Amino acid sequence: MSLSSYVDKKVCIITTDGRCLVGSLSSYDNTTNLVLSNTVERGIRSADEGVPSTETPVGVYLVRGENVCLVGLVDEELDMSINWTEVKGAPIRTTKNP
C-alpha cells in the first residue's frame, strides 16, 4: 500500500522501540523513511504509575524506515476530543530482539 494518500494528513506512527508519534505526514520515500511536521510524542502511562501520561511536542521529526512498525490515519475530531494526559494503558513493547 502506498502512503501517498496519507501525505498532509494527521498520522500516528508506532516505532519498533514502542514510541507513539503523532503528526502531519510531510514526506516519505520507498524505504518508508517518514518526515512528520507538528509532531508530538505520546507517552501513555499505566494505571499503577502515579504520574499522568504525556504529550511532548517535537516539531519536525524524521523516522527511519527500519524503525517504523505502523502508520495509521488519525481521526482528527476524535483525537482532539481526548485529554491524552488522562489516558492510561499498558506500554507498547519493543519489537527489537535483545
Side-chain angles (χ1 to χ4, degrees):
M1 179 179 165
S2 172
L3 292 173
S4 61
S5 63
Y6 291 13
V7 173
D8 295 328
K9 293 187 177 148
K10 192 172 189 178
V11 295
C12 176
I13 310 297
I14 304 296
T15 63
T16 57
D17 62 356
R19 287 178 295 139
C20 175
L21 302 163
V22 178
S24 178
L25 181 63
S26 298
S27 182
Y28 69 97
D29 66 13
N30 61 347
T31 60
T32 320
N33 292 314
L34 307 173
V35 179
L36 301 174
S37 59
N38 302 314
T39 310
V40 295
E41 182 174 352
R42 290 188 177 147
I44 305 300
R45 306 290 183 233
S46 64
D48 58 344
E49 289 184 65
V51 296
S53 295
T54 60
E55 275 197 309
T56 306
V58 292
V60 175
Y61 205 86
L62 172 66
V63 184
R64 290 186 57 168
E66 65 188 30
N67 294 322
V68 175
C69 269
L70 174 131
V71 179
L73 285 176
V74 172
D75 180 329
E76 292 191 52
E77 186 176 327
L78 177 62
D79 188 64
M80 291 179 62
S81 71
I82 297 170
N83 180 350
W84 288 100
T85 61
E86 294 178 359
V87 172
K88 298 293 183 182
I92 299 173
R93 293 190 184 105
T94 182
T95 62
K96 295 181 179 180
N97 293 324

